[in-house]
Amino acid sequence: MYLCRSMKTLQLIQLLTAGERKEFAHHLELAKNKKLGEAFSFLSAEKSKSDIDIQEKLFKKLFGKIWTKKEDYLLRNELRLLNRQLELFMASKRFDQANRRYDAEASWLFMTSLLDREAWGLYEKEWDAEFRRCEADGNLRSILRLRELDVEFRIRRRDFTGAGIEGFRQALAALQLDATRLYQYRILEARLYQTQLNRQVFERDPTMVMTEVPLPVFEITNETDPYLGYLENMRLAHENRGKNALQYLLKSSQYIEQCKPGVANIRHTQAMLYAQIALENFLQYDYEEADKWYEKAIGSIDVIVELHHQCTIYLNYISNLTRLHKYAEVLNFIQKHHKLLYNLKEIRERVVCVQTMCLIYGNKTKEAKLLIQEHIVDAREDTLMYLRLTLSIIFYQQKKYDMVSRELLNLQQSLRSIGVRYESICACARLFSRFADMQTVENSSRSKLLLAKDIQKYHQEHQPHFEILPVRWMLNQLEEGLGIIITKNNTNS
């Protein structure tokens, strides 16, 4: 291993001009890597043709002691680092020699760095300029890479407006078109080369019969290329719901494990798949199974660089914990990851909603009320609705029944102005408001019976896909307070 590495290092150094050697030595000096600088100076001046002799002399110079086989790893590490620095230096010289502002590779790397920094406006300007240049040159290979980068940009920006979604569709269509064009180019270019080869052979041997080179037919299957299996099963997972979707996600997970690292970012893809499988189990009300997959996703969270994806996985995880009634675990998890979860406004508001209800379930009413007061002023509609429901629960626990009714009445009026989207919330608020009013006066069995019937009717007409925690708390309180058993349709309390 050492002989091969030292030979490569010497060969790379010999490729440099005298001026480039001085420049590279200065680069190592600026990097303050003394050992690499010494190794480079030594190998640049070394005239010996014996690798063993070079090995012992260089080891003595760098480490001040006699070389031994046991400590040879020290020299191997330094040569590996020196080789890498030489490779990067030669690559940077290639960029410099392009003598153009928008060299395709350098521009692609620059724009990728802008995406990493979420500099959306600057990225769009650079992308447009580079695309016009590549389009004018007819550089389809670079155009295709730019199309792929455009899709990545739209994924990261997460613009779910009508215009944003339409732009995403157009970007995907353009990517498919140019990918097909480039594929056809390469197939027909290879076919042309084959025909040219046949012609050259024919000119040397006129007895050869010239025949048409047929279009190639390739049989590429999921078994021969597991990445195809992953992509196809992911597509099917998104086209299906319930157990069918879960089945395809599990197959996708099996296929991605067989892929090579260069085909896909395997660890990142697996982590995202774990989270998707967990969410699908959550939607199937299998919270125990979902918890297992969320644990696997969180165990691989370090490979997910996108902050929003990390936060979303954490949020879904604690939502699943609430279905398992593990409220103390939720609060501990939020406290542990407070800085991350509170970083993004959209995620922060949803976390606060869950946090307040877990505090209520943990009999920490005072802390819940303080948290609501801290965040309710700047809350958006969904969050405001949730926090006002939670606040009415706190008033109920404090036996301030008039404030419960007032809060829920105000909530119904504000939600009614928004539209039918919140009708199920309004219906629940009306029921609980009636129940709160009943706490202050003597009630007949008939009024209780009417309320119980209305609660049963609510369950039949307003069956939410996700259970909203304050709504769930109110319904449980109604059931307990009226001494009834509510018939539920596929829900978990």
Side-chain angles (χ1 to χ4, degrees):
M1 173 61 76
Y2 166 77
L3 297 180
C4 294
R5 199 175 294 281
S6 64
M7 181 63 70
K8 178 182 177 180
T9 308
L10 287 169
Q11 289 175 340
L12 290 176
I13 292 173
Q14 290 165 5
L15 293 174
L16 302 179
T17 65
E20 288 174 337
R21 291 189 186 191
K22 290 181 180 179
E23 184 181 348
F24 183 69
H26 182 61
H27 166 75
L28 293 177
E29 184 180 348
L30 291 175
K32 297 182 180 181
N33 196 321
K34 185 177 179 182
K35 279 191 169 52
L36 289 191
E38 291 177 349
F40 177 71
S41 299
F42 175 85
L43 293 172
S44 296
E46 183 57 40
K47 303 297 183 183
S48 174
K49 295 184 179 180
S50 168
D51 280 335
I52 296 297
D53 189 33
I54 293 174
Q55 171 182 325
E56 293 177 350
K57 287 181 179 179
L58 181 56
F59 191 91
K60 177 72 174 177
K61 181 174 182 61
L62 295 182
F63 304 106
K65 53 186 177 181
I66 303 299
W67 174 89
T68 62
K69 186 175 181 181
K70 182 179 180 180
E71 294 185 304
D72 184 55
Y73 73 93
L74 296 172
L75 187 56
R76 291 199 305 271
N77 287 340
E78 295 300 325
L79 287 174
R80 176 179 56 80
L81 293 173
L82 182 56
N83 282 348
R84 183 57 178 160
Q85 290 298 317
L86 284 164
E87 291 166 3
L88 292 174
F89 177 76
M90 295 176 73
S92 69
K93 297 302 291 183
R94 176 66 186 86
F95 284 142
D96 294 340
Q97 291 164 5
N99 196 28
R100 310 178 68 156
R101 181 184 174 204
Y102 289 108
D103 176 84
E105 294 296 322
S107 182
W108 187 86
L109 290 171
F110 172 58
M111 286 186 289
T112 302
S113 71
L114 292 178
L115 288 187
D116 292 339
R117 298 168 191 268
E118 298 186 354
W120 310 133
L122 182 56
Y123 163 83
E124 288 182 288
K125 292 179 181 178
E126 293 292 331
W127 189 92
D128 287 339
E130 177 66 2
F131 186 84
R132 286 195 300 270
R133 184 187 76 80
C134 292
E135 195 172 39
D137 291 344
N139 187 345
L140 186 57
R141 286 174 174 81
S142 292
I143 286 175
L144 186 60
R145 293 190 72 185
L146 287 171
R147 295 290 194 198
E148 292 173 336
L149 198 62
D150 187 35
V151 170
E152 178 68 18
F153 158 65
R154 294 171 189 279
I155 290 172
R156 294 197 191 191
R157 191 175 57 169
R158 300 178 63 80
D159 180 4
F160 296 127
T161 63
I165 293 173
E166 180 58 30
F168 202 163
R169 288 197 176 102
Q170 292 176 4
L172 288 170
L175 172 61
Q176 289 174 315
L177 175 61
D178 285 332
T180 303
R181 286 173 60 202
L182 185 57
Y183 168 76
Q184 292 292 338
Y185 284 2
R186 288 172 170 167
I187 289 294
L188 294 179
E189 283 172 356
R191 194 182 185 198
L192 173 59
Y193 294 151
Q194 185 64 48
T195 304
Q196 290 172 334
L197 178 61
N198 289 351
R199 179 60 179 264
Q200 290 176 0
V201 173
F202 173 76
E203 290 176 351
R204 293 179 184 177
D205 182 7
T207 62
M208 174 187 169
V209 177
M210 290 289 291
T211 58
E212 180 183 0
V213 176
L215 278 169
V217 177
F218 300 108
E219 289 293 335
I220 303 176
T221 65
N222 297 348
E223 285 65 36
T224 58
D225 191 337
Y227 190 57
L228 292 179
Y230 160 75
L231 293 174
E232 179 63 11
N233 279 280
M234 285 300 294
R235 182 186 68 80
L236 292 169
H238 284 90
E239 286 184 353
N240 285 271
R241 293 291 182 271
K243 293 183 178 179
N244 286 337
L246 188 57
Q247 174 186 350
Y248 290 122
L249 286 172
L250 291 170
K251 285 184 179 179
S252 295
S253 181
Q254 294 171 1
Y255 276 116
I256 201 65
E257 291 176 359
Q258 303 172 37
C259 291
K260 296 179 180 179
V263 176
N265 188 340
I266 294 177
R267 289 192 64 210
H268 180 277
T269 305
Q270 284 179 318
M272 295 299 291
L273 262 174
Y274 295 153
Q276 286 180 277
I277 293 170
L279 180 59
E280 202 60 48
N281 278 291
F282 176 86
L283 297 176
Q284 294 300 306
Y285 308 105
D286 192 347
Y287 304 130
E288 293 287 354
E289 186 66 17
D291 186 65
K292 296 176 184 177
W293 286 97
Y294 275 127
E295 292 287 352
K296 294 181 71 172
I298 290 172
S300 305
I301 203 81
D302 60 304
V303 301
I304 300 177
V305 297
E306 300 88 353
L307 182 62
H308 191 278
H309 286 164
Q310 285 189 18
C311 291
T312 300
I313 291 172
Y314 282 161
L315 176 62
N316 291 341
Y317 171 62
I318 63 176
S319 297
N320 189 72
L321 286 179
T322 63
R323 300 306 192 274
L324 295 170
H325 310 293
K326 298 180 179 180
Y327 308 116
E329 286 189 31
V330 172
L331 295 174
N332 290 336
F333 189 88
I334 293 174
Q335 183 180 11
K336 181 178 179 181
H337 301 281
H338 181 274
K339 186 175 180 180
L340 178 64
L341 290 170
Y342 271 58
N343 189 55
L344 300 176
K345 178 177 173 58
E346 177 187 352
I347 299 295
R348 179 174 65 249
E349 290 193 1
R350 295 176 66 185
V351 168
V352 167
C353 290
V354 176
Q355 193 173 359
T356 54
M357 282 305 301
C358 287
L359 286 169
I360 288 174
Y361 276 112
N363 296 317
K364 298 179 180 180
T365 306
K366 185 177 180 180
E367 292 179 35
K369 190 173 183 180
L370 289 173
L371 189 63
I372 292 172
Q373 292 171 341
E374 181 182 351
H375 293 276
I376 199 169
V377 177
D378 300 322
R380 295 171 303 172
E381 287 179 354
D382 286 353
T383 307
L384 183 61
M385 172 271 295
Y386 197 107
L387 293 181
R388 291 183 71 175
L389 280 176
T390 309
L391 188 59
S392 67
I393 290 174
I394 293 175
F395 289 146
Y396 178 84
Q397 290 183 322
Q398 295 174 339
K399 298 185 178 181
K400 299 176 180 179
Y401 303 119
D402 58 330
M403 296 185 69
V404 173
S405 298
R406 186 177 63 185
E407 185 66 31
L408 291 177
L409 179 61
N410 292 335
L411 175 63
Q412 291 173 63
Q413 291 175 345
S414 61
L415 292 179
R416 192 176 295 113
S417 64
I418 298 173
V420 296
R421 176 184 172 194
Y422 295 107
E423 176 53 33
S424 64
I425 305 298
C426 288
C428 180
R430 288 192 294 270
L431 292 173
F432 197 74
S433 181
R434 287 167 58 187
F435 181 69
D437 290 339
M438 292 171 65
Q439 307 307 309
T440 58
V441 295
E442 186 71 26
N443 298 282
S444 65
S445 58
R446 176 177 171 75
S447 60
K448 292 182 179 179
L449 181 60
L450 287 174
L451 181 56
K453 287 182 177 180
D454 288 340
I455 294 171
Q456 293 281 8
K457 184 178 179 182
Y458 173 86
H459 271 280
Q460 295 170 3
E461 295 180 355
H462 302 282
Q463 186 60 56
H465 190 63
F466 288 97
E467 288 191 338
I468 302 174
L469 282 177
V471 172
R472 183 70 264 159
W473 189 96
M474 289 179 176
L475 293 175
N476 283 341
Q477 188 65 37
L478 289 169
E479 181 177 354
E480 181 181 337
L482 294 173
I484 59 174
I485 298 177
I486 302 172
T487 303
K488 306 178 182 67
N489 297 323
N490 199 28
T491 63
N492 292 329
S493 57

